[in-house]
Amino acid sequence: MGEALAQARLAGGAGDVPVGAVVLSPSGEVVGAGRNLREVAGDPSAHAEVVAIRAAASSLGTWRLDGCTLVVTLEPCLMCAGAILQSRIPRLVLGAWDPKAGATGSQWDVVRDARIGSKVEVVAGVRAAESAALLAEFFEARR
Ligand SMILES: [Zn+2]
């Protein structure tokens, strides 16, 4: 989570909403890192999770990220929850909840939806205060 928070700070420094993510291999090493690049890249799909998942798939040479863990500072949105399912990531560690747009336990719970049939383990609240503080500072400064 420390590395995901560092990614989030980089995003915030570049004018993007500060969200960061890393993908850990089954043995626990970082195989992909990403930060929100929506403004910088002008890409609506460049959320931290998608960027980190793409980097991990590229470095591992496969789209199947079985056994990997996604660590992200903010609860994933619908698109990113979908990307977690599509990449077969079985474990998600998140910082702060996103009660407005979160799709892994708050507003929706796409990664544990029985209709989809896959069950991602979700560990929430890891360094949540730091993650939320980054977001609060970012939006405070914009006002
Ligand atoms: Zn997202």
Side-chain angles (χ1 to χ4, degrees):
M1 187 58 84
E3 207 152 333
L5 283 162
Q7 288 287 330
R9 283 185 204 101
L10 288 173
D16 264 298
V17 176
V19 180
V22 294
V23 175
L24 305 175
S25 73
S27 59
E29 61 177 317
V30 174
V31 288
R35 58 183 180 273
N36 183 19
L37 295 172
R38 194 169 56 180
E39 299 294 340
V40 166
D43 177 355
S45 73
H47 288 189
E49 300 94 315
V50 169
V51 174
I53 287 170
R54 284 186 176 144
S58 169
S59 74
L60 295 174
T62 174
W63 63 269
R64 290 194 73 112
L65 303 180
D66 305 284
C68 290
T69 299
L70 178 73
V71 181
V72 60
T73 58
L74 180 68
E75 183 184 6
C77 71
L78 282 166
M79 174 183 72
C80 293
I84 290 166
L85 294 175
Q86 293 302 327
S87 57
R88 308 286 196 268
I89 290 174
R91 191 159 185 266
L92 168 68
V93 176
L94 67 92
W97 290 110
D98 182 353
K100 281 188 195 147
T104 64
S106 53
Q107 191 72 268
W108 298 277
D109 197 355
V110 172
V111 295
R112 289 173 293 191
D113 189 316
R115 291 167 294 184
I116 295 169
S118 59
K119 225 183 195 164
V120 175
E121 182 193 350
V122 179
V123 179
V126 178
R127 296 179 71 172
E130 285 166 80
S131 171
L134 272 178
L135 290 159
E137 284 161 26
F138 179 81
F139 288 112
E140 191 85 2
R142 299 210 123 195
R143 235 171 263 145

